[in-house]
Amino acid sequence: DSFSPRLVTPMQQAVRWVVLLSIVSAGPGGVSADPPADPAVSNEQIQQWVTALESDTYSARHAATERLILAGKPAVEPVARAIEQGGLETILRGIYVLRQLAVSTDDIQTESAAYDALWQISQRPVNTAARRAAAAVQALDEIRYRRAVQKLEQLGTVFSMTQVQVGPRLSQPFPSILIDESWRGRAEDLDRLSWITRSAAAEGPEMWMIILQGPQVTDAWMERIKDLENIRVLQLKSTALSDGAFAV
């Protein structure tokens, strides 16, 4: 049966993984490092732009907003601090900056950092910043979910429904994510899976099955997926994982 991915409602419970098939031993892979910040943008410049968000002139506020978006990931933390400490203009413009960074770049790490910053602010005691951040997170969940599905499908991921044996005479369908030898992405592209399994923007399947198949599946992949939420079944086929891939 075909399966059209929908948004998921996360369950507040520990993730239980069921590893079904044997693992082929091999050496561990590496994990991509953060991309370097643009050396042309200094911390001092970023702080000046953050301060200018409260400028008396519209042109200065607007220019600072655009500059912070262009600065990328180095701007995330200073802007997040300013949102929690600044006035209404800083809150509104700061949340706009983080929201843009969370969806308008091709850099997964920048997008994730901006989203996580908004989520953290949304969890603070209720105030203007928390309410605005929560609204931004809700809107971003749907955008990120759809973008993640589209990007992963372009890289060769297959979304479907899979029947899993859960008892002697009982099977259960799970929305599944298959990544096999036809995968054309990098290890860091797997970070997009969290945008799907943790999304809370709408109703949908609550628990997922992930199937990883082929020698391209290394320890670096496990580092990327080990903290995914709402994974009930993890199936491994003919991988190149080492014995230490599941070490606690």
Side-chain angles (χ1 to χ4, degrees), residues 39-174:
V41 179
S42 67
N43 292 334
E44 290 74 17
Q45 286 176 307
I46 291 176
Q47 192 55 55
Q48 288 174 2
W49 297 330
V50 169
T51 302
L53 294 177
E54 286 282 353
S55 173
D56 293 333
T57 63
Y58 170 80
S59 60
R61 297 194 300 270
H62 179 74
T65 302
E66 296 301 312
R67 293 281 189 173
L68 288 168
I69 293 171
L70 291 174
K73 188 178 179 182
V76 170
E77 186 175 342
V79 169
R81 287 199 306 267
I83 290 171
E84 298 198 63
Q85 301 169 2
L88 181 59
E89 192 72 32
T90 295
I91 292 172
L92 296 179
R93 289 184 174 275
I95 287 177
Y96 174 78
V97 168
L98 293 181
R99 178 170 173 169
Q100 290 300 106
L101 290 176
V103 296
S104 62
T105 76
D106 291 326
D107 180 0
I108 298 175
Q109 294 174 356
T110 297
E111 292 179 346
S112 295
Y115 178 90
D116 290 344
L118 283 169
W119 189 87
Q120 291 290 342
I121 295 169
S122 74
Q123 301 304 300
R124 300 287 190 264
V126 178
N127 56 26
T128 300
R131 288 194 297 271
R132 297 279 182 169
V137 166
Q138 184 175 9
L140 285 169
D141 274 344
E142 172 136 12
I143 296 171
R144 284 159 54 91
Y145 179 92
R146 299 301 178 188
R147 288 185 63 188
V149 169
Q150 181 181 34
K151 180 64 175 179
L152 289 171
E153 285 183 330
Q154 290 172 351
L155 294 173
T157 304
V158 177
F159 294 86
S160 64
M161 293 295 294
T162 302
Q163 290 286 337
V164 177
Q165 196 78 21
V166 294
R169 298 182 179 179
L170 180 64
S171 64
Q172 180 178 345
F174 282 91

